[in-house]
Structure formats: structure tokens, C-alpha cells
Amino acid sequence: MRRLLLLVSVLVFADTMLYAALTPLLPHFAHALHLAKSQAGALVAAYAIGALIGAVPGGLAAVRMAPRRTVLVGLALMGLASIGFALAGEFETLFAARLAQGAGSAFTWAGAFAWLLAAAPRGRRGELIGAAMGAAVLGAMLGPVVGAVAALAGRAAVFCTLAGLALVLAAWTGRLQLPPDAETTQIALPRALADPGFSGGLALLSLASLLFGILSVLAPLRLAGAGWGAGAIGAIWLGGAAIEAVESPLLGRLSDNLGALLPVRLALASSLLVSLGLSTGARPLLYAPLVLAASASYGALFTPAFALIADGAERAGLAQGMAFGLMNAAWAVGAAVGPAAAGAIAAATGDWIPFLLAAAACAAALPAARGVGRAAAAEAL
């Protein structure tokens, strides 16, 4: 179990590192390629669009091809996309590379989590998900640092090196003796979607990724406009990810012991408040701490949402690989809509409207979460 958890943790670490590496590079691309805010938002959203395209194929592959092969497909796409990103010189090529990275991510996550949950004891599921999510957050922590290094030392060298990392991970995946896949291969999709915990977890995951999508477009551009460089912006994201890395395992254990809905309600309440704070367009000395608080609040939704999805899939008899394929789709919808809509709306009206809409979404989700909790309890009984 430990060896499997380590492999899954490293896989999601590498994936989120590549995803987050764009953040400090975004102002550079916006300046060098003369991108409008809407184009910057589209570039951020490209990864999520790729994940959405690969979500269902990745889930089906995890069920029918076995998780190991699914992970290897994802790593191959990740390596090729990293080379493309390293050598791209215009918006269209960058967009295509990020699209391929996102598709590879869908395969990697579906295969990795299908393995982990097939082997996980029922009472430790939230703990193991939280541990893997902590590794994913560490990758998101290092990603902006990688992006800042690429901005200073050269994008081609850094991202070609990361393509080599995909080869190393593929070799490790191929050699590791992993536990047999013990889950059902029944694809009980209609029953799973009717389960309130499962569908509620998907909705929460979409909301969390939407919130992060808004933040990842508007906050770097806001700080860059105030004179902050790539290194300083990367440091803010590093601090926010450090908080998330600490909280994810704690939230996993809390979900195991007290249920997933308590951390969800706390996270929604804090996300509501911090979104309102960001909508004020405060000065950088106040805005930067609000970005840190937003990272912690938005990130607190992921681990309990994963636990809700895994538990709902088990109740419905849905294969965990397919469940996490749908998870990728749910994440991708929010991560695609959030940055694209935020960039377009902010270009027309200013940054305050997207953050105000984010706060309204959190406010609407609070009573819905209570209803999901009651309905999921009744379904479990």
C-alpha cells in the first residue's frame, strides 16, 4: 500500500507541477505575444479543456485497459506536450500544448486513483486521498517556482527536462508490482449520478476548480500590474500551496471521522468571505494575503469532494476508474469555464464582477451542501 501511495503521490505531484507552472509565465506571455485578457484566460483554460476531452476516455481506459496502461498513456501525452510547450512561439502552439497536457492528466489521474482506491481499506479512504492530494498540492507549490525559473533561465531547457521526468515515471510505473484491481467493472452510471453524494461531489469539484480558475487568471495579472515580477508572484502561489499541502491530509482524516460535509461547509463559508474581499480590488499588501487565504479556502473543497465521489461510486457499484474519469470531467468544466469567463468578464467590466460572482456561487452552494448531506445519509441507510 505504501509503495502504491508513493507512486500515485509522485504522479499527481508531477502533473500539478506542470499545470501550475504557467502562473508566473502568464504575464510574460501576455506581454510578449500581446495577449488580451480573454486570450490569457483561454490559455489558462486550455489545460482544463484537454482534461475534459480526455476525461471519459481516461475513465473507460482505467476500467477496460487496467490502471497501469492508463497511467502510461497519460505520461506519454504529458512528455510530448511538455516538449511542445518548451518550443512553442505563438499563442496557438501554446494552447495546443496545454490542451495535450490536460488530456494526459485525465488519463494519469483516472488510472492512478483507480488503483489507489481499489487497494484502500474503506476506513482509510479519506486519509489516503488526502495524502495524495497533499502531494498534488506540493506539485502546485513547486509549479510556480518552475515557471519562474523558466522565465529567467529559458523555457526550452526547463520544459524539455520535465519531458524527461515523464520517461522516468513511465519506467517506474512499468516496473512497480502493484496490487490487483479488485473493483467491479460494472459501469452503473445512471445509478451513480442519481446518488446525491456522488453528484454533489462532482458539483463541488467543479465549483472548486472554477474558483481556482478565476483566481489563477486575475490575481497574477493584478499583481503584475502593480509591479510584481514573476518571482514574487510565484512566491505568493508557493505560500498558498504550502497551506493547502498541510490542510489536505487533515481534511482527509476529518472526512473519515466526521463525514465529508462538515469540511465542505466550512470551506464554502470561508471561500464566500475571501471572494468578497478579492472583489474590492484592494492594494497589493492586502490583496496578496487575500490570495493566500483564497488558495486555502478553495483548496479545502477538493479532498472532501473526492471522498464523496469515491463513496458514492462504491454505493452505486460504479468502477472507481470510471468515477475518477467523471471527476476529471467535473474538474475540467470548472477549470475551463472559470478562467475563460473571468478573463472575458474582467476585460469588459473589471476584476470585481468575477469575484463577486464567485462569492454568489459559494453562497448558493451552502444550503445545497446541507441538502446533499441529508440525502446522502438517507441513501446510505
Side-chain angles (χ1 to χ4, degrees):
M1 192 67 230
R2 290 179 181 177
R3 296 171 67 195
L4 174 56
L5 178 60
L6 178 60
L7 174 63
V8 171
S9 298
V10 174
L11 287 170
V12 297
F13 170 89
D15 183 76
T16 55
M17 180 177 66
L18 284 170
Y19 172 68
L22 178 65
T23 299
L25 288 170
L26 188 61
H28 164 73
F29 287 137
H31 174 74
L33 302 179
H34 308 290
L35 303 181
K37 276 190 176 181
S38 58
Q39 289 178 301
L43 188 58
V44 174
Y47 191 101
I49 296 170
L52 182 59
I53 293 170
V56 173
L60 289 172
V63 174
R64 296 176 181 175
M65 290 173 50
R68 184 198 300 271
R69 293 177 182 174
T70 305
V71 169
L72 290 174
V73 171
L75 289 172
L77 287 171
M78 184 182 86
L80 292 173
S82 296
I83 294 173
F85 191 80
L87 303 178
E90 60 276 336
F91 170 77
E92 291 78 12
T93 310
L94 286 170
F95 185 90
R98 292 285 288 181
L99 200 74
Q101 282 181 349
S105 168
F107 278 78
T108 302
W109 280 65
F113 276 95
W115 253 331
L116 183 63
L117 293 178
R122 178 66 180 79
R124 294 185 59 205
R125 183 172 286 162
E127 176 188 349
L128 294 172
I129 290 174
M133 286 304 297
V137 171
L138 287 174
M141 243 168 87
L142 187 59
V145 177
V146 170
V149 171
L152 297 173
R155 176 163 44 98
V158 171
F159 281 91
C160 284
T161 301
L162 292 175
L165 175 61
L167 289 176
V168 173
L169 291 176
W172 182 10
T173 301
R175 294 184 62 183
L176 186 64
Q177 294 298 317
L178 295 173
D181 185 6
E183 65 177 345
T184 175
T185 58
Q186 177 187 2
I187 304 178
L189 185 55
R191 185 176 175 185
L193 292 175
D195 183 278
F198 183 83
S199 57
L202 293 176
L204 284 169
L205 199 59
S206 287
L207 175 60
S209 61
L210 183 143
L211 295 172
F212 263 111
I214 294 171
L215 187 71
S216 63
V217 171
L218 300 185
L221 296 178
R222 169 79 173 84
L223 293 172
W228 290 43
I233 295 171
I236 290 296
W237 256 256
L238 182 65
I243 298 171
E244 290 179 66
V246 172
E247 73 180 2
S248 291
L250 298 176
L251 289 167
R253 287 194 288 272
L254 183 63
S255 297
D256 283 337
N257 295 330
L258 299 177
L261 269 299
L262 176 60
V264 165
R265 288 194 293 267
L266 293 174
L268 286 172
S270 59
S271 297
L272 167 61
L273 295 175
V274 77
S275 298
L276 288 174
L278 289 168
S279 72
T280 64
R283 292 183 178 182
L285 288 180
L286 180 57
Y287 192 87
L290 284 172
V291 173
L292 290 174
S295 294
S297 299
Y298 300 166
L301 290 167
F302 284 112
T303 296
F306 276 32
L308 286 169
I309 292 168
D311 291 345
E314 184 178 66
R315 285 192 298 269
L318 180 68
Q320 293 291 349
M322 192 62 196
F324 277 84
L326 294 174
M327 175 214 75
N328 282 321
W331 174 85
V333 168
V337 171
I345 293 172
T349 65
D351 290 3
W352 67 280
I353 289 289
F355 283 120
L356 197 61
L357 292 174
C362 294
L366 270 168
R370 297 191 195 98
V372 166
R374 289 192 295 268
E379 181 74 16
L381 289 173

